[in-house]
């Protein structure tokens, strides 16, 4: 039977039309390991090697037998799925395991909070970071107000302000021209409260991607996604990855000053305490959706130093890079850079549960936060227990090593191909089983192919060709549509990689000959 038309009619009319044009409008009805199946227009079953891997969610393949067994046992054992407002033992277990891992890697203690999707984990991190930053500001404000109170009492008792400070306070609080010292203390307090309430600054990176809920979307750089909804959220300052001067400028711009009057050396003195009002710095250690661009470790380390110096949290969004895909549970472990927050999603539920989690350094965790954020579906026993089993399977099957080894092999093969076709493939980027293959445009070639490239359709055309002609499923990254991203399961075999390479070599031949017809007629 042809793919159901219900999806186009009731769910996704535009997308289905676009997928139809490039031959991606298939319904996959069965999946096992790195293979999935659909029925062609003739009704015959076709098996496909999945190098798209659920955009990174099927690291353990489709329907991993051990995970299926575990899911069935949980369901048949009548596990309580929705036991809200109770002790979530499985969430606790998952939390302990992730936290212990990070403790071993960083020497820090982390709290583990759960959400249901990647974007929701980003929301959670945003809220937790802002909550903690605000608590710090409130604490500073409280200390200053206590000082101001004591100093105003001292002033009333006749103690004098240091020469010049009275004028300085008058200049600071507009309209303080003929105010009495007592009135000036009140004005200073109001000034501080206004300053402390200033909206925070959020820092993100150009090419960054953090999901599409209204909050997370502000951190997602791609304008096509963000601009239509930018009125809804807190604006984000985007920095060029690697540009430390831009980071320093943003940090300087975020500075907020609070003023106190302290009693010292027999007189009252005006004093200033400045802090950086950055709620969080978000970064993907390898920018995935933006085109598989690894960040420079030195740059991230310098940001780490600034985070410590200016007291803002570094949020490492490892939703794409984490769960072992790069050869370590967190990619940051290889970079030797510590985050204050780590985010996981995608493969955490083994592609059988929708679950994401954030790890928060205790230094940035306010116990009250847990009372303020919750979700009907988060911390459920089923998903938490699945995630724990995912960690078991990763250990027993040596998934980290497999990702490292297979990724290295695939990388070598792809770089060889790139050297054979430097006129077609610009670059191979990535680590482990997170690889991007960027194609280059040709000035002198087929006008049809040039149009396809300019309109951002080349990656989709290649995906359609590879799927229909060679039974290989890939997709471009959304924000870099001439970059094919490869995120196969760790179970991928050498023969499957070879088939991918043979098919990609044919794509390169076609593009070298600029034969648009062959690429679109299969
Ligand atoms: N953060 C990163 C680094 C991501 O790659 C994604 C999603 C998200 C957050 C949002 O997760 O989709 O579960 O809400 N990445 C996609 C991609 C969709 O193309 O890789 P989500």
């Amino acid at each position: 039977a042809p793919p159901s038309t219900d999806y186009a009619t009731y769910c996704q009319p535009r997308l289905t039309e676009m997928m139809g044009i490039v031959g991606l409008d298939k319904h996959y009805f069965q999946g096992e390991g790195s293979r999935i199946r659909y029925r062609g227009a003739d009704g015959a079953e076709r098996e496909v090697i999945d190098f798209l891997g659920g955009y990174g969610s099927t690291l353990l393949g489709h329907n991993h037998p051990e995970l299926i067994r575990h899911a069935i046992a949980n369901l048949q054992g009548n596990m309580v799925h929705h036991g809200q407002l109770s002790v979530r033992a499985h969430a606790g277990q998952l939390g302990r395991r992730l936290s212990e891992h990070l403790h071993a890697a960083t020497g820090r203690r982390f709290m583990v909070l759960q959400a249901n999707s990647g974007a929701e984990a980003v929301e959670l991190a945003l809220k937790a970071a802002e909550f903690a930053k605000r608590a710090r500001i409130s604490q500073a404000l409280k200390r200053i107000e206590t000082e101001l109170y004591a100093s105003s009492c001292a002033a009333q008792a006749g103690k004098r302000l240091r020469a010049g400070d009275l004028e300085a306070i008058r200049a600071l609080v507009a309209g303080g021209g003929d105010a009495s010292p007592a009135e000036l203390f009140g004005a200073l307090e109001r000034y501080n409260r206004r300053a402390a309430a200033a909206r925070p600054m959020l820092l993100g990176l150009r090419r960054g991607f953090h999901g599409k809920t209204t909050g997370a979307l502000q951190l997602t750089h791609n304008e096509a996604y963000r601009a239509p909804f930018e009125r809804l959220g807190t604006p984000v300052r985007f920095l060029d990855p690697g540009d430390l001067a831009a980071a320093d400028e943003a940090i300087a711009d975020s500075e907020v000053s609070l003023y106190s009057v302290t009693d010292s050396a027999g007189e009252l003195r005006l004093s200033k305490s400045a802090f950086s009002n950055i709620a969080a710095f978000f970064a993907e250690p390898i920018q995935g959706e933006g085109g598989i661009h690894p960040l420079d470790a030195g740059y991230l380390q310098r940001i780490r130093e600034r985070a410590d110096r200016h007291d803002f949290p570094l949020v490492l969004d490892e939703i794409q890079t984490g769960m072992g895909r790069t050869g370590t549970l967190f990619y940051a472990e290889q970079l030797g850079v510590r985050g204050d927050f780590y985010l996981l999603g995608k493969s955490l539920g083994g592609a059988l549960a929708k679950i994401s989690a954030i790890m928060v350094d205790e230094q940035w965790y306010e116990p009250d936060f847990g009372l303020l954020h919750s979700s009907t579906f988060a911390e459920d026993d089923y998903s938490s227990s699945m995630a724990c089993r995912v960690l078991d399977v990763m250990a027993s099957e040596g998934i980290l090593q497999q990702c490292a080894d297979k990724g290295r092999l695939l990388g070598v093969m792809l770089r060889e191909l790139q050297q054979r076709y430097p006129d077609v493939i610009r670059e191979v980027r990535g680590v482990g089983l997170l690889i991007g293959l960027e194609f280059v445009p040709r000035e002198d070639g087929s006008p049809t192919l040039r149009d396809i490239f300019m309109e951002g359709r080349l990656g989709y055309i290649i995906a359609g060709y590879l799927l229909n002609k060679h039974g290989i499923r890939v997709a471009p990254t959304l924000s870099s549509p001439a970059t094919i991203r490869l995120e196969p399961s760790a179970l991928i075999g050498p023969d499957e990689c070879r088939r991918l390479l043979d098919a990609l070599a044919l794509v390169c031949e076609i593009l070298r000959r600029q034969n648009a017809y062959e690429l679109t007629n299969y």
Side-chain angles (χ1 to χ4, degrees), residues 207 209 284 286-293 320 434 477 485:
R207 282 198 304 251
F209 185 92
E284 302 155 84
I286 299 174
Q287 298 185 301
E289 191 273 348
I292 320 289
H293 291 276
Q320 188 81 241
L434 176 60
T477 58
R485 83 203 265 182

Side-chain angles (χ1 to χ4, degrees), residues 52 54-57 116-122 208-213 216 220 225 282-290 292 316-321 343-346 355-356 434 476-479 485 487:
L52 169 55
Y55 287 108
S57 65
N116 308 290
S117 67
E120 200 189 326
V122 171
F209 185 92
H210 300 280
K212 293 184 177 173
T213 52
T220 288
Y225 302 141
F282 274 75
E284 302 155 84
I286 299 174
Q287 298 185 301
E289 191 273 348
I292 320 289
L316 296 179
D317 181 345
E318 295 237 23
I319 287 168
Q320 188 81 241
T321 50
L343 277 46
L344 289 177
K346 303 272 188 189
I355 177 173
S356 60
L434 176 60
T477 58
L478 300 172
S479 292
R485 83 203 265 182
E487 293 192 62

